[in-house]
């Protein structure tokens, strides 16, 4: 009898383990369906997603000590640190896959007390939506990682036994990759922290210190309020502005909108999804009002900020121009990351409720729960319809990097033509923020003015603005060294390259192989220097944030070693 009971317990444990594995396996399938093109050689370079073979760790801007506002602090430093151990191309693939996998499993965890069908449906919706598709094409991988961390953070803060501190720390670190996402993490802490909100806020403060301190160091930068009108929510296809936002779309850049969003059939499918979500909201209200309250509060913040640039533009313009860091709210639709968990959980719960009342229609409804999100956005598959196609840098880029490293010319690098974005033919004509800003081994100055819908948004970096004035003057070669520029790289394939070459006529050219780039040296330049006080402040910020994260990761690893299935009976999925 004892042996039979032991066998029965073993069989139950094995079945429970299989059930717990289904959601992660499904999440991996979803992520692979999107990331499949990334198995090709090269790097995905799309709008803000700039990946280079070597991101040097000694670059001041990585650590918040450059001349521009710290929009890529600490995300660039994380990439550089990982790239020093793992090939950069592998790091990119891990990051993109992890973002999709974790957002699916995170929503599945929020639905862990509901049947397996609900978890799978919620996980599918969390990945397969316009927000994920558009931000992938726009290249905002830190935003997607933060969106993936949010459901995990909510689940850890709402745990019945009290906050799961290791997961809280790691999830907060995931939201702290950029200033905007760091604020999203703070929103979650405020709405879900409950009685532990002060200690969690303390952790969040420590983990966000790098960009906070860097922002104080660069407090002179200011965002252009004219950007508010250019970044306001846009209608997609037949959805209109409000409908686009409620369906997690509405991005300001029409070029990154999937084609399926413009089809009339998509509206009908989205309406069906909306009905399921409404049913799910009622279901969650009846079963777990605390979870619904947290998700609804966070979603409301995201929805309000997404619509604010359209509904109250004057207010947002004042915030952008007068409030330090106010530029973080100008792209309102990125804040829809806070709405994704609410709609995904509600969709999963709605499928569960329909199944409960379906009787003979159980299988068709379960299948529809997985199919509807995919049917509404079929072109998210295969790298958003092939838009995320890897490219390889021409040999001239590597040759130029080598020539700069071997040169004894002092000073920083200036890239011409002086424009923020490129559309290189070797990158399948996909727009990308000038990769030269990260590719070479020295501090590199690029233009941070943005052209949106034919309008120019003023840049935020004082050094780039000063160099722009020099380039518009008559003594370019004499004044650039005074700005610390000793090396000029000209992208000969970019528009207006001939004008750029004319500006620096007479400069000494350094020979390199390849015709995509040309390299010039200017004597007498002095590299830019960092004030000792700024360096100390950033060192302390990085040290505190790093120690906090290491403590959280260590605690998470120790806890995972100790836990067994019996320790977490609530994690057992009910089929």
């Amino acid at each position: 009898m004892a042996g039979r009971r032991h066998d029965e317990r073993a069989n139950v444990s094995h079945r429970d383990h299989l059930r717990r594995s289904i959601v992660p396996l499904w999440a991996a399938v979803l992520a692979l369906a999107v990331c499949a093109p990334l198995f090709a050689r090269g790097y995905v370079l799309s709008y803000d997603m700039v990946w280079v073979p070597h991101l040097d760790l000694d670059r001041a801007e990585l650590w918040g000590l450059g001349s521009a506002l710290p929009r890529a602090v600490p995300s660039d430093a994380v990439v550089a640190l990982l790239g020093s151990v793992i090939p950069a191309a592998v790091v990119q693939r891990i990051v993109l896959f992890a973002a999709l996998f974790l957002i699916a499993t995170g929503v599945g965890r929020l639905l862990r007390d509901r049947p397996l069908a609900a978890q799978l449906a919620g996980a599918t919706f969390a990945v397969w939506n316009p927000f994920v598709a558009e931000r992938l094409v726009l290249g905002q991988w830190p935003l997607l990682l933060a969106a993936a961390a949010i459901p995990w953070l909510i689940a850890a803060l709402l745990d019945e036994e009290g906050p799961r501190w290791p997961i809280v720390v790691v999830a907060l670190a995931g939201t702290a990759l950029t200033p905007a996402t760091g604020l999203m993490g703070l929103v979650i802490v405020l709405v879900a922290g409950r009685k532990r909100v002060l200690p969690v806020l303390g952790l969040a403060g420590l983990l966000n210190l790098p960009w906070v301190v860097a922002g104080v160091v660069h407090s002179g930068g200011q965002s252009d309020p004219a950007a508010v009108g250019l970044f306001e929510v846009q209608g997609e296809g037949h959805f209109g502005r409000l409908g686009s936002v409620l369906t997690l779309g509405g991005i300001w850049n029409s070029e990154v909108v999937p084609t399926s969003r413009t089809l009339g059939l998509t509206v009908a499918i989205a309406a069906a999804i909306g009905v399921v979500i409404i049913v799910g909201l009622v279901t969650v209200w009846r079963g777990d009002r605390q979870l619904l309250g947290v998700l609804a509060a966070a979603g409301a913040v995201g929805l309000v900020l997404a619509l604010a640039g359209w509904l109250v533009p004057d207010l947002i313009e004042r915030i952008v121009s007068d409030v330090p860091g106010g530029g973080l709210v100008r792209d309102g639709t990125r804040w829809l990351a806070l709405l994704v968990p609410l709609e995904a959980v509600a969709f999963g719960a709605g499928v569960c409720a329909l199944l409960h009342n379906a009787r003979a229609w159980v299988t068709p409804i379960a299948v529809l729960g997985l199919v509807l999100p995919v049917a509404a956005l079929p072109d998210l598959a295969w790298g958003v319809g092939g838009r995320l196609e890897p490219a390889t840098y021409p040999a001239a880029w590597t040759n130029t990097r080598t020539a700069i490293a071997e040169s004894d010319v002092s000073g920083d690098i200036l890239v011409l033509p002086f424009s923020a974005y490129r559309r290189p033919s070797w990158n399948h004509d996909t727009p990308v923020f000038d990769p030269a800003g990260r590719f070479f081994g020295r501090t590199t100055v690029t233009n941070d003015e943005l052209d949106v819908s034919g309008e120019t948004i003023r840049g935020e970096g004082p050094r780039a603005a000063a160099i722009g004035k020099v380039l518009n003057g008559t003594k370019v070669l004499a004044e650039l060294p005074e700005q610390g520029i000793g090396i000029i790289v000209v992208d000969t394939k970019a528009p207006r390259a001939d004008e750029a070459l004319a500006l620096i006529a007479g400069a000494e050219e350094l020979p390199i192989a390849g015709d995509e780039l040309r390299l010039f040296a200017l004597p007498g330049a002095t590299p830019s220097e960092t004030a000792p006080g700024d360096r100390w402040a950033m060192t302390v910020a990085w040290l505190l944030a790093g120690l906090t994260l290491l403590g959280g990761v260590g605690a998470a690893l120790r806890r995972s070693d100790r836990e067994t299935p019996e320790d977490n009976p609530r994690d057992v999925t009910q089929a």
Side-chain angles (χ1 to χ4, degrees):
M1 291 295 293
R4 180 181 299 175
R5 285 196 297 270
H6 175 77
D7 291 341
E8 289 175 352
R9 286 196 299 270
N11 289 334
V12 170
S13 177
H14 181 65
R15 288 196 299 270
D16 291 343
H17 177 73
L18 288 177
R19 290 191 183 108
R20 283 195 303 275
S21 302
I22 291 176
V23 173
L25 287 173
W26 180 242
V29 169
L30 293 170
L32 284 173
V34 177
C35 296
L38 273 65
F39 286 103
R41 179 172 171 266
Y43 304 87
V44 177
L45 307 173
S46 184
Y47 290 90
D48 295 346
M49 182 152 50
V50 181
W51 230 270
V52 297
H54 305 283
L55 189 54
D56 299 83
L57 287 168
D58 59 351
R59 295 170 64 109
E61 55 267 31
L62 257 65
W63 310 103
L65 294 169
S67 59
L69 288 182
R71 294 196 178 277
V73 176
S75 57
D76 272 0
V78 172
V79 169
L81 288 168
L82 292 174
S84 66
V85 181
I86 308 171
V90 177
V91 173
Q92 184 182 41
R93 285 147 179 78
I94 291 173
V95 164
L96 295 178
F97 178 87
L100 302 179
F101 176 81
L102 290 173
I103 195 171
T105 52
V107 168
R109 186 165 183 81
L110 289 175
L111 289 162
R112 65 189 183 275
D113 292 330
R114 297 185 181 274
L116 179 60
Q119 298 177 45
L120 294 174
T124 304
F125 184 94
V127 171
W128 228 270
N129 61 73
F131 177 84
V132 170
E134 293 167 359
R135 297 297 164 172
L136 265 177
V137 178
L138 199 57
Q140 296 182 342
W141 63 268
L143 176 58
L144 291 175
L145 274 180
I150 286 172
W152 285 97
L153 179 58
I154 293 172
L157 290 173
L158 295 183
D159 194 275
E160 291 179 357
E161 299 176 2
R164 291 194 165 202
W165 294 109
I167 298 178
V168 168
V169 171
V170 176
L172 278 173
T175 65
L177 289 170
T178 68
T181 57
L183 292 180
M184 293 179 195
L186 292 178
V187 170
I188 298 301
V189 170
L190 292 174
V191 300
R194 297 187 293 178
K195 297 179 180 179
R196 304 294 183 92
V197 65
L198 291 180
V200 182
L201 279 175
L203 285 173
L206 290 171
L207 291 165
N208 284 279
L209 269 180
W211 68 260
V212 170
V213 175
V216 173
V217 169
H218 299 88
S219 57
Q222 188 180 46
S223 298
D224 187 353
V228 173
L230 298 174
F231 280 100
E232 69 181 19
V233 60
Q234 300 296 313
E236 296 176 358
H238 303 282
F239 285 98
R241 299 198 193 204
L242 181 59
S244 296
V245 170
L246 291 175
T247 54
L248 301 178
I251 196 168
W252 53 272
N253 188 341
S254 60
E255 291 186 4
V256 307
V257 177
T259 303
S260 60
R261 290 285 288 172
T262 65
L263 304 177
L265 178 62
T266 303
V267 178
I269 299 173
I273 291 174
V275 171
V276 177
I277 288 176
I278 292 172
V279 172
L281 290 173
V282 174
T283 303
V284 180
W285 169 259
R286 292 172 176 172
D288 193 345
R289 294 187 182 182
Q290 182 185 63
L291 174 61
L292 180 61
V294 170
L295 295 175
V301 173
L303 185 61
V304 167
L305 289 176
L307 294 171
W310 168 44
L311 297 177
V312 286
D314 293 341
L315 173 62
I316 301 301
E317 286 178 6
R318 287 197 296 272
I319 292 174
V320 168
S321 61
D322 300 337
V323 178
L328 298 177
V329 300
R330 69 182 187 181
D331 180 3
T333 54
R334 68 178 161 191
W335 290 83
L336 291 175
L338 295 172
L339 183 60
V340 172
L342 172 65
E343 295 197 0
V345 168
F347 182 77
V351 170
C352 176
L354 293 175
L355 284 173
H356 183 72
N357 297 288
R359 298 183 181 179
W361 296 87
V362 169
T363 300
I365 290 177
V367 172
L368 276 176
L370 304 182
V371 170
L372 274 179
V374 178
L377 199 69
D379 41 357
L380 174 55
W382 196 260
V384 195
R387 298 192 190 194
L388 302 181
E389 185 178 356
T392 56
Y393 286 95
W397 284 70
T398 302
N399 296 335
T400 302
R401 177 184 166 89
T402 301
I404 292 172
E406 294 175 350
S407 172
D408 57 1
V409 178
S410 62
D412 298 329
I413 300 172
L414 172 65
V415 180
L416 297 177
F418 201 52
S419 56
Y421 281 85
R422 301 281 194 260
R423 195 185 287 262
S425 59
W426 53 264
N427 190 40
H428 320 293
D429 293 319
T430 300
V432 61
F433 196 82
D434 190 358
R438 291 176 172 87
F439 193 94
F440 305 115
R442 300 190 193 183
T443 294
T444 304
V445 181
T446 57
N447 196 353
D448 60 351
E449 292 183 344
L450 300 179
D451 289 326
V452 178
S453 301
E455 301 287 337
T456 299
I457 299 175
R458 187 181 66 241
E460 299 167 337
R463 190 180 188 197
I467 289 176
K469 291 180 179 179
V470 171
L471 295 175
N472 289 325
T474 59
K475 300 179 179 179
V476 175
L477 295 183
E479 295 181 1
L480 282 179
E482 297 175 3
Q483 297 290 335
I485 300 300
I487 296 286
I488 298 176
V489 176
V490 179
D491 184 348
T492 61
K493 303 299 183 181
R496 305 181 67 178
D498 291 340
E499 296 179 23
L501 289 170
L503 281 176
I504 58 172
E508 177 190 358
E509 184 167 4
L510 303 179
I512 56 171
D515 60 353
E516 287 88 0
L517 302 177
R518 293 178 66 179
L519 183 63
F520 299 86
L522 300 180
T526 301
S528 56
E529 296 183 357
T530 302
D534 294 348
R535 188 177 297 276
W536 275 106
M538 288 306 306
T539 299
V540 172
W542 280 103
L543 182 63
L544 292 174
L547 290 175
T548 304
L549 176 58
L550 287 176
V553 171
L557 292 175
R558 289 193 299 272
R559 182 164 186 160
S560 65
D561 288 339
R562 292 196 304 265
E563 286 184 346
T564 63
E566 289 76 15
D567 294 328
N568 289 286
R570 291 191 306 108
D571 287 345
V572 176
T573 310
Q574 301 298 317

